[in-house]
Amino acid sequence: ENKVTFDYLEQIPTRQPLVERLTKLWNYERFGRPLHRGDNYFYSHNNGLQNQSILYVTTSLEAKPQVLIDPNQWSAEGTEALASWVPSPDGKQLAYAVASAGSDWREWFVLDVATGKKHSDHIQWSKFSGVSWAKDNSGFYYSAYDEPQAGAEFTGTNYYQKLFFHTLGQPQSNDQLIYERPEHPEWGWGTTITEDGHFLILSVSEGTDERNRLFYKDLRKDESFVELIPDLRAQFIFLGNEGSIFWFSTDLNAPKGKVISIDINHPEEHNWKVLIAEQNDALTNVEILENYILCQYLKNVASEVFLYEKESLKKKAINFNKQGIISNISTNQDSDIFYFSYTNYIQPNQIYKYNAQNNDISLLWAKEIPQFNTNDYISQQVFYPTMDGTMIPMFISHHQDTELDVNTPLLLYGYGGFDISILPNFRERYLAWMLMGGVVAVPNIRGGGEYGEEWHQQGMLKNKQNVFDDFASAAEYLHTMNISSPKKTVIEGRSNGGLLVGAAMLQRPNLFGATLPGVGVMDMLRFNKFTIGWAWESDYGSPEKPEDFQVLVKYSPYHNIERGECYPPTLITTSELDDRVVPSHSYKFAARMQEAQNCTNPILIRIETRAGHGAGTPRNKTIEYISDVYGFALHYLLQN
């Protein structure tokens, strides 16, 4: 299949210009937001040509930094990625995770920050886990699975996660088992150590369900965990504490979110206190500063950030009057200074420093893309009605000189699931599309978290068809407004978005001129049989339940392909080592599509052999991928 596909793609004239354009567009300096621990600041940097960003350390952001980790030295082809890094509280040690070929499996290592020397510590078979350092810097908590059977590393189901404590300098075999619940194989663990070092907070997840249980353990006592929130009722995110007073953000009886406090000495629900009540907009993030509680909201898919004084809860907005998304907020609970990233569809990423005491804001770093001027581009938000009358927000972005009419190539991207908000974000791939005369449209369809939990629930389980209807309605709205037309429209989505594209193109094949389903969940009757697929039942339902089966079978892409239909030109993409959405989804879908197709429109599958679900993909492979899929799409859109 790869030989057929790559032979085909090499003949497409729109592909090579994309390679050249993207290579130039990617060649600019990029910074990650800094993280301050102890006497050190940590941040990532890429000179524009490197496959993987380098992690640096410095004692001052004005001083010359030192290279701490260069993942580009790990693999000639750039497929070994720095997946995560967590400094110790004193900033002297660094735990870091390596992802190989895009797999979700992580190997953890530790190095000495001052010398850069790698220690003997080595953790294997960790997945869906960060690390939480002990306050005395002696080691960290992490989660891992039993070693899988040989040959099943990338397909076997992931159950029975266990929580361990790793003492620095010890082999993994000596790690202390802290917690497990073998009677609940689907439970997973997220840990936090309180700032005072007295408590280990355990967030107990069940698949991708946003709701969680919340346990804690007093590390000063030889006692077991206390089940503070023992049932799946809502989402509870631990924020911090002052002694026995624990702070949480939660959507319990508040679908848009609120901030509460619980005194663990009096944990009965009638004693809980609301600190910051539910607002009209979705609460997406809360951070604790020295004197403030920082609350980040999403107002019509744009960030608003407010600071509440801890004592009086007096509210003030930060003086940042830009329309876009604030993200990656980096804080310390002993300081009122924080760092954040800012971007939108036509604004390359910027890193800012903010002092909450005097409201002083300063730009630290900004992406400088050669021959790019934000003012040359337009990004506007519109609201359109979907099939049941719900108004859906959508961003439409393009170069100011692009004439929007029925012949404009339209890239329509969507996701719609798992409470994940698709936020305005500058992407080189979108810029390349716009530079080639196209328009990019991204609707915020239901199933995401843009308007809180109710918006999510309107696109999950028995309501999943709303997601596909919202997406089709976005295309119809754009065509009605003479922003492109069906033959000039390509749809793209990845993972759950790949499911979206698969379902949309099967339900409405005449609405699109080309389709790009990436690493998609295509068999909705067997998705729960492999790796972490069982965890998605919270959003999709279970194929083993008759009432869920009847919903799933109606939109499952693999089961709704009609023999004799003429489907749009389609390039299916997957990765051989994808252990999130196993590639058999795409293999089967491609085979059945090829068999059923009743016209000359090609149905191709592109299989990456040294990559996974997408995270950590090196720059060169990313450029090749985008050039292949967008080159394929443009070839057919420009022909029509």
Side-chain angles (χ1 to χ4, degrees):
E1 290 288 345
N2 263 356
K3 185 178 189 316
V4 170
T5 297
F6 287 114
D7 286 349
Y8 195 96
L9 293 174
E10 287 175 4
Q11 306 304 314
I12 290 178
T14 49
R15 180 184 174 278
Q16 190 56 35
L18 271 167
V19 173
E20 297 168 2
R21 187 180 294 274
L22 283 164
T23 301
K24 291 179 181 178
L25 289 178
W26 235 280
N27 187 12
Y28 65 91
E29 194 174 29
R30 297 188 290 280
F31 289 88
R33 64 97 175 94
L35 179 65
H36 186 201
R37 292 292 181 268
D39 295 327
N40 291 318
Y41 292 85
F42 303 82
Y43 64 89
S44 62
H45 174 265
N46 193 305
N47 65 15
L49 295 176
Q50 292 156 322
N51 278 326
Q52 303 285 350
S53 294
I54 296 173
L55 181 63
Y56 287 86
V57 64
T58 181
T59 55
S60 168
L61 294 178
E62 290 72 38
K64 183 179 180 180
Q66 300 296 316
V67 173
L68 194 57
I69 298 178
D70 182 359
N72 299 287
Q73 305 299 316
W74 295 344
S75 166
E77 53 186 358
T79 54
E80 300 286 313
L82 177 61
S84 182
W85 49 271
V86 185
S88 58
D90 62 7
K92 295 181 179 180
Q93 306 292 329
L94 185 90
Y96 67 95
V98 178
S100 178
S103 169
D104 280 335
W105 289 115
R106 300 289 184 261
E107 293 187 66
W108 288 90
F109 301 92
V110 179
L111 57 75
D112 182 89
V113 172
T115 64
K117 180 182 177 182
K118 182 178 175 181
H119 296 309
S120 61
D121 307 76
H122 183 196
I123 307 297
Q124 293 180 288
W125 306 118
S126 179
K127 184 186 279 194
F128 313 125
S129 171
V131 301
S132 296
W133 282 89
K135 286 301 174 181
D136 63 1
N137 310 289
S138 62
F140 51 79
Y141 297 89
Y142 71 95
S143 297
Y145 293 92
D146 291 336
E147 181 177 350
Q149 293 182 355
E153 294 89 346
F154 302 107
T155 57
T157 51
N158 301 136
Y159 286 119
Y160 303 105
Q161 195 178 52
K162 300 176 182 178
L163 178 66
F164 295 93
F165 182 78
H166 173 73
T167 301
L168 293 186
Q170 295 295 312
Q172 185 176 3
S173 57
N174 287 356
D175 287 353
Q176 181 184 0
L177 176 63
I178 300 298
Y179 201 69
E180 65 172 335
R181 291 293 289 270
E183 75 276 22
H184 294 292
E186 69 280 8
W187 284 15
W189 324 113
T191 56
T192 305
I193 303 294
T194 56
E195 193 70 16
D196 57 20
H198 294 165
F199 299 97
L200 170 62
I201 308 299
L202 191 62
S203 175
V204 184
S205 62
E206 194 167 317
T208 52
D209 195 329
E210 290 298 307
R211 301 173 301 169
N212 62 305
R213 298 171 173 86
L214 206 294
F215 306 162
Y216 72 88
K217 179 182 177 65
D218 190 332
L219 297 174
R220 298 165 296 180
K221 302 176 182 178
D222 186 19
E223 297 177 355
S224 59
F225 280 92
V226 176
E227 298 190 5
L228 181 64
I229 312 290
D231 302 312
L232 279 185
R233 299 179 58 199
Q235 183 182 60
F236 290 84
I237 299 175
F238 177 79
L239 304 174
N241 75 305
E242 285 186 353
S244 65
I245 308 298
F246 285 15
W247 302 320
F248 299 92
S249 62
T250 180
D251 57 7
L252 179 68
N253 302 320
K256 287 187 169 67
K258 63 184 177 182
V259 178
I260 67 171
S261 67
I262 300 176
D263 185 342
I264 60 172
N265 292 329
H266 306 282
E268 298 79 13
E269 190 169 342
H270 65 265
N271 291 322
W272 298 2
K273 294 181 179 180
V274 175
L275 301 180
I276 301 170
E278 181 182 25
Q279 308 292 307
N280 292 327
D281 303 308
L283 178 63
T284 59
N285 183 39
V286 182
E287 301 286 348
I288 303 298
L289 308 180
E290 184 177 19
N291 294 295
Y292 296 92
I293 300 174
L294 182 155
C295 290
Q296 184 174 357
Y297 295 90
L298 203 57
K299 185 179 183 66
N300 286 332
V301 204
S303 292
E304 287 192 341
V305 178
F306 297 94
L307 298 169
Y308 294 83
E309 292 182 1
K310 280 184 179 178
E311 297 300 324
S312 66
L313 294 178
K314 183 179 178 181
K315 175 183 176 183
K316 68 174 180 177
I318 72 167
N319 58 343
F320 188 73
N321 299 316
K322 292 178 180 288
Q323 191 76 1
I325 295 299
I326 290 172
S327 62
N328 298 319
I329 296 177
S330 173
T331 64
N332 278 334
Q333 292 188 20
D334 60 356
S335 170
D336 285 327
I337 293 174
F338 61 93
Y339 303 88
F340 64 87
S341 302
Y342 167 77
T343 186
N344 60 38
Y345 284 117
I346 58 173
Q347 172 60 63
N349 195 49
Q350 298 174 325
I351 308 293
Y352 287 88
K353 177 183 178 181
Y354 195 95
N355 189 325
Q357 285 285 0
N358 56 18
N359 298 320
D360 179 63
I361 188 169
S362 57
L363 176 65
L364 284 183
W365 300 311
K367 289 182 176 180
E368 298 292 342
I369 300 178
Q371 300 178 335
F372 172 82
N373 185 345
T374 297
N375 296 326
D376 293 339
Y377 294 83
I378 296 170
S379 185
Q380 62 175 329
Q381 187 183 46
V382 300
F383 291 81
Y384 67 90
T386 188
M387 293 183 185
D388 63 5
T390 302
M391 299 302 291
I392 309 294
M394 174 166 59
F395 287 91
I396 304 171
S397 308
H398 56 88
H399 193 279
Q400 64 178 1
D401 295 335
T402 299
E403 293 187 15
L404 302 183
D405 57 31
V406 295
N407 293 311
T408 308
L410 167 64
L411 172 64
L412 183 63
Y413 179 90
Y415 186 79
F418 297 97
D419 198 30
I420 294 173
S421 300
I422 303 302
L423 305 176
N425 186 21
F426 185 86
R427 294 178 179 271
E428 291 80 6
R429 60 199 298 165
Y430 292 164
L431 178 57
W433 186 270
M434 291 187 277
L435 284 171
M436 298 185 77
V439 59
V440 177
V442 183
N444 296 101
I445 56 184
R446 287 174 287 182
E450 288 87 347
Y451 292 96
E453 181 57 23
E454 288 181 354
W455 195 254
H456 172 215
Q457 291 181 10
Q458 289 179 39
M460 60 186 279
L461 300 173
K462 67 179 185 299
N463 297 322
K464 188 66 176 178
Q465 183 59 41
N466 285 338
V467 178
F468 314 133
D469 292 344
D470 291 356
F471 196 57
S473 295
E476 291 178 320
Y477 169 84
L478 292 162
H479 300 159
T480 300
M481 299 300 292
N482 288 327
I483 302 175
S484 196
S485 56
K487 291 293 186 181
K488 300 293 183 179
T489 299
V490 58
I491 52 175
E492 181 186 23
R494 292 177 57 82
S495 194
N496 174 71
L499 160 65
L500 167 65
V501 171
M505 60 100 74
L506 293 173
Q507 293 180 10
R508 303 292 299 277
N510 296 325
L511 199 54
F512 316 111
T515 73
L516 302 172
V519 292
V521 188
M522 299 305 195
D523 183 350
M524 300 307 299
L525 304 184
R526 285 176 57 80
F527 70 87
N528 57 344
K529 304 288 186 186
F530 306 96
T531 61
I532 199 62
W534 60 267
W536 312 331
E537 292 181 2
S538 60
D539 234 62
Y540 296 148
S542 170
E544 274 69 48
K545 295 180 180 178
E547 62 274 21
D548 292 344
F549 180 95
Q550 293 304 321
V551 175
L552 292 165
V553 74
K554 290 178 181 177
Y555 70 78
S556 174
Y558 179 68
H559 297 93
N560 283 278
I561 300 167
E562 294 187 13
R563 188 187 299 272
E565 177 66 75
C566 179
Y567 292 108
T570 296
L571 179 55
I572 302 158
T573 55
T574 188
S575 299
E576 192 174 30
L577 300 182
D578 189 344
D579 52 359
R580 182 88 56 86
V581 180
V582 293
S584 57
H585 281 278
S586 293
Y587 297 166
K588 292 162 55 177
F589 183 69
R592 200 164 189 176
M593 283 288 294
Q594 290 169 353
E595 179 191 32
Q597 182 73 311
N598 193 33
C599 60
T600 58
N601 291 339
I603 307 292
L604 301 174
I605 181 169
R606 181 190 188 277
I607 305 163
E608 191 68 67
T609 56
R610 282 288 294 168
H613 198 59
T617 303
R619 179 189 62 90
N620 59 348
K621 283 186 176 291
T622 300
I623 290 174
E624 290 171 5
Y625 170 82
I626 297 170
S627 301
D628 285 347
V629 296
Y630 285 5
F632 174 88
L634 279 170
H635 177 66
Y636 287 99
L637 299 191
L638 297 176
Q639 275 187 351
N640 293 331

